[in-house]
Amino acid sequence: MIQVKNVKKSFGKHEVIQNMNFSIEAGEIYGFLGPNGAGKTTTMNMLTGLLPLDAGQVYIDGMELSQDHEKIEKIIGYLPEDPQFYPYMTGQEYLTYIGKISRMRAGEIQERNNSLLHLVDLIEAGDRRIGGYSRGMRQRLGLAVAVYNHPKILFLDEPSSALDPQGRRELLDIILKLKDDNTTVFLSTHILSDVERVCDRIAILHEGIIHLEDSIENLQEQYLQPIYEIQWEGDCTPLKEQLKKAQWLEKIHTDKNRMTLYVKDRKKSQRQIFEAFSKIELPMISMGLKRSTLEDIFVKVVNNK
Amino acid sequence: MKNFPAYFQKELIENLRTYRLFIILIAFVIFALMEPVIYRMLPRILASEGLDPEVFGMMDTSQQGLLRSYIGNMIQTGILVFTLTLSGALAHEIQKNYWILPRTKGGNASALILSKYMLYSFGIIIVILISFFINRFYTGVLFESTGLTVLWTLQSGLIFSLYFLFILALLFFFVSLTRRSIAAAVTTMLMSFIVMPLLFNFQALQRFLPYGLVQESGLFVINRYSLLPLIASTTLLIFILLWGTIKRVKHMKIY
């Protein structure tokens, strides 16, 4: 659905995007992560045709961006990080304006306005001037504008940054609903828990270069730490001596009824670990493998570069 | 340009809510009314200051004379009000990124700029004609009618309006260069108050410089030989400035 080939962009002497390549399949939710100034918004602006590329090609739904820009505009939606609206217009009027620019018929516009205001929970505020909206309300109106033309591809730049937890959850539900309708979503956000919840694949951008691109499952598997956290029913300190001699063990920590095991090779030693545990008489309450969060992975990738 | 009607309708709402044209209308009408009133009171003012009221007799208090005096005032005060009030019309679109969302839905710079230009052009023509007729009427009431016909007032107003259309195109062009409303307004005023009158001193430029329209509008005589080149050159300049503005805005960097 989206193919980015050797894209470069500079502002003056500063190379913001250096030879960027990636592709996104139809119906996929693609998380685009990176620290501030990594080039995320510049990438968004280029993919939506708001900024010209210095080099490279972008193909959207098989069409080349610079050649078929007008056709592409009809199938994409874009929500910028801080969407700006005419403060003197009401939400309804603004959506009508967008409908007219998108060359929709009057009846269709009214119907679409109502369904979208309902979707983003602005039905009551629809007749109020946007100048009096909160940042979160403007963000939701921005989302309504972005999806106005039933886009095949939706570009969302930090869509939940201004929303409260309830608003964020609703936004993520909307994104998941769009995925069900086979909409491709290109999502840039700092809120990594949002990415973990909705994205199929992610890319981590740092200083204009994509350093990592994979599915969340693969990344978590790849970055999984060989650490087991176990909780016992009683004091587990005496077990320390019993397990210390095991060949698969690298390090052991105990604290009353809590135990942390650092193992040498998680996959190879898994069987041996359970065998060792079966010989212990003290009942076990829980056992879990410590998983790397996306935040751990993000920090690791950004700091290692 | 297919979405020009959507943009034009948006401009209409903007004007109704921001009162830009209304502010300009009020300013122009107040000055149009004040001109004959001040002239009427001038003998008393001169007497109270101990000056010879006979000096007043040397002043032209005909309808033509007072309208000419009004034109002279509006070329400064009018342009000041006009540029300061309208400088935000395009600058805010660019500066505050209002134009981004519509642009992602198929909106374009040409329709945005031309709809603004057309609305404000139409507005300023109406404002100038209203103020000219008010000035003519009120001068006739306070002094005596000196035969300034409706046709002459209309012609004079239209010629004067064309100069304002040029100022508007100049203002938009400077907005596209500076992205800042105040910077564009100040540059436009400098062009109008200093550069234009200076250039007008050159005989070779007088026939083509838009500033000549100001002089023509106060003549109340149609001189095709001097007027037509002025209208042609001003129209051409307006087209060039608007084309330059559209080109600049189309290729403007978005941050």
Side-chain angles (χ1 to χ4, degrees):
Chain A
M1 187 54 86
I2 303 175
Q3 257 193 307
V4 175
K5 286 182 179 174
N6 308 318
V7 166
K8 290 179 183 175
K9 182 74 195 173
S10 300
F11 289 127
K13 283 180 184 170
H14 178 53
E15 207 172 4
V16 183
I17 300 296
Q18 303 173 37
N19 207 35
M20 180 182 276
N21 288 284
F22 64 86
S23 60
I24 305 173
E25 296 300 318
E28 202 173 21
I29 302 183
Y30 191 81
F32 202 54
L33 314 178
N36 288 335
K40 299 188 300 291
T41 300
T42 302
T43 306
M44 286 262 183
N45 285 340
M46 285 195 292
L47 297 185
T48 49
L50 291 171
L51 258 185
L53 319 175
D54 287 350
Q57 288 95 40
V58 172
Y59 293 92
I60 302 223
D61 201 20
M63 296 178 279
E64 213 276 318
L65 184 63
S66 59
Q67 287 170 14
D68 298 306
H69 186 241
E70 276 190 32
K71 283 183 196 163
I72 289 171
E73 264 175 357
K74 287 178 186 155
I75 60 158
I76 64 168
Y78 179 34
L79 171 62
E81 186 178 354
D82 185 13
Q84 296 294 328
F85 305 93
Y86 302 110
Y88 52 81
M89 273 188 176
T90 65
Q92 272 276 7
E93 283 170 344
Y94 195 84
L95 289 180
T96 304
Y97 170 54
I98 292 296
K100 283 180 180 168
I101 281 185
S102 308
R103 285 171 235 155
M104 285 166 88
R105 282 176 285 109
E108 204 183 342
I109 287 172
Q110 197 50 52
E111 206 177 295
R112 189 80 182 128
N113 287 1
N114 291 337
S115 79
L116 285 175
L117 286 171
H118 187 74
L119 178 79
V120 297
D121 198 22
L122 285 175
I123 203 89
E124 279 176 29
D127 291 324
R128 273 168 40 202
R129 289 197 186 179
I130 303 169
Y133 281 16
S134 67
R135 171 100 198 271
M137 288 164 89
R138 278 190 280 134
Q139 201 87 11
R140 282 185 276 147
L141 183 64
L143 182 68
V145 172
V147 298
Y148 201 94
N149 53 338
H150 305 281
K152 277 185 176 178
I153 305 164
L154 191 59
F155 293 91
L156 305 173
D157 193 1
E158 301 286 352
S160 54
S161 56
L163 301 178
D164 55 27
Q166 172 76 14
R168 243 178 68 201
R169 182 184 285 187
E170 284 166 7
L171 177 93
L172 295 180
D173 288 342
I174 294 171
I175 293 174
L176 288 171
K177 199 169 164 280
L178 289 166
K179 182 184 163 65
D180 291 342
D181 299 337
N182 208 34
T183 305
T184 307
V185 181
F186 186 89
L187 172 73
S188 147
T189 179
H190 277 109
I191 303 166
L192 300 174
S193 57
D194 290 357
V195 175
E196 280 181 303
R197 206 183 135 195
V198 298
C199 292
D200 300 308
R201 277 198 307 142
I202 63 155
I204 297 181
L205 183 74
H206 186 42
E207 290 172 348
I209 301 168
I210 291 182
H211 287 287
L212 188 143
E213 192 199 16
D214 212 333
S215 70
I216 294 196
E217 290 77 25
N218 285 350
L219 286 173
Q220 280 176 334
E221 185 68 24
Q222 198 183 324
Y223 283 82
L224 207 60
Q225 298 174 65
I227 304 166
Y228 287 93
E229 287 175 323
I230 308 145
Q231 201 178 352
W232 303 90
E233 213 170 80
D235 186 8
C236 61
T237 318
L239 299 177
K240 202 172 176 179
E241 285 305 310
Q242 197 177 327
L243 293 168
K244 219 173 179 179
K245 290 164 200 163
Q247 289 202 333
W248 45 266
L249 185 73
E250 198 171 284
K251 214 162 50 170
I252 181 167
H253 276 303
T254 54
D255 180 18
K256 290 174 188 167
N257 67 333
R258 288 176 186 277
M259 178 186 279
T260 311
L261 291 175
Y262 295 80
V263 298
K264 282 173 186 160
D265 188 325
R266 186 180 61 82
K267 279 184 180 166
K268 281 184 188 167
S269 57
Q270 213 158 15
R271 195 186 174 90
Q272 293 163 295
I273 293 166
F274 285 104
E275 272 176 15
F277 285 169
S278 65
K279 290 171 192 164
I280 295 170
E281 283 181 14
L282 189 66
M284 186 192 284
I285 296 173
S286 68
M287 176 178 171
L289 193 61
K290 191 176 180 218
R291 287 186 168 269
S292 283
T293 61
L294 193 53
E295 194 175 331
D296 297 329
I297 299 169
F298 179 82
V299 170
K300 216 175 252 182
V301 170
V302 168
N303 288 342
N304 285 347
K305 302 299 164 187
Chain B
M1 285 297 284
K2 281 174 191 165
N3 38 39
F4 179 85
Y7 275 106
F8 195 78
Q9 210 169 354
K10 191 274 292 179
E11 290 304 323
L12 278 174
I13 296 175
E14 184 173 307
N15 259 286
L16 288 172
R17 308 258 166 96
T18 59
Y19 308 110
R20 281 197 184 110
L21 278 172
F22 186 68
I23 292 166
I24 296 170
L25 175 72
I26 295 295
F28 274 63
V29 166
I30 287 174
F31 285 114
L33 288 168
M34 292 293 286
E35 195 79 29
V37 172
I38 288 171
Y39 269 76
R40 189 72 191 157
M41 291 168 68
L42 208 56
R44 284 185 211 168
I45 296 167
L46 291 174
S48 68
E49 292 294 319
L51 296 167
D52 184 5
E54 288 302 310
V55 177
F56 181 72
M58 294 160 69
M59 291 178 180
D60 184 0
T61 55
S62 66
Q63 282 176 310
Q64 289 85 337
L66 285 189
L67 189 55
R68 205 173 289 125
S69 167
Y70 175 64
I71 290 169
N73 284 336
M74 292 325 281
I75 206 65
Q76 289 177 348
T77 327
I79 284 177
L80 183 89
V81 173
F82 183 72
T83 50
L84 286 176
T85 312
L86 294 191
S87 60
L90 181 61
H92 290 167
E93 294 272 358
I94 298 165
Q95 217 178 332
K96 298 184 177 177
N97 282 338
Y98 289 149
W99 65 313
I100 300 294
L101 279 177
R103 211 179 133 180
T104 63
K105 294 289 163 211
N108 58 66
S110 319
L112 173 76
I113 291 161
L114 292 180
S115 63
K116 278 186 190 293
Y117 188 78
M118 282 189 68
L119 185 90
Y120 290 118
S121 297
F122 184 70
I124 194 62
I125 291 171
I126 299 291
V127 165
I128 287 175
L129 290 180
I130 289 173
S131 65
F132 270 41
F133 278 104
I134 286 176
N135 182 277
R136 171 185 168 271
F137 170 76
Y138 212 49
T139 307
V141 171
L142 290 182
F143 296 94
E144 60 184 49
S145 178
T146 50
L148 179 65
T149 62
V150 168
L151 189 65
W152 281 121
T153 313
L154 190 68
Q155 279 175 349
S156 176
L158 289 175
I159 295 168
F160 192 58
S161 299
L162 186 58
Y163 184 68
F164 270 77
L165 300 197
F166 165 73
I167 293 294
L168 182 61
L170 200 61
L171 178 68
F172 278 13
F173 182 68
F174 285 131
V175 165
S176 75
L177 289 182
T178 63
R179 284 176 170 238
R180 298 278 181 273
S181 56
I182 294 296
V186 170
T187 322
T188 307
M189 283 190 276
L190 282 176
M191 287 294 289
S192 182
F193 299 161
I194 298 168
V195 180
M196 285 282 181
L198 275 177
L199 290 175
F200 202 66
N201 289 326
F202 296 98
Q203 192 104 38
L205 293 174
Q206 280 180 359
R207 285 191 67 198
F208 304 100
L209 209 63
Y211 194 74
L213 290 168
V214 179
Q215 208 175 37
E216 288 289 326
S217 63
L219 292 178
F220 306 109
V221 178
I222 291 289
N223 182 349
R224 281 184 188 163
Y225 175 74
S226 59
L227 193 58
L228 286 180
L230 277 175
I231 292 173
S233 61
T234 306
T235 311
L236 183 68
L237 275 173
I238 289 172
F239 274 109
I240 292 169
L241 288 168
L242 287 177
W243 176 79
T245 308
I246 292 168
K247 196 128 181 99
R248 290 268 321 160
V249 174
K250 260 186 184 168
H251 296 100
M252 206 162 257
K253 276 181 189 164
I254 294 160
Y255 299 100

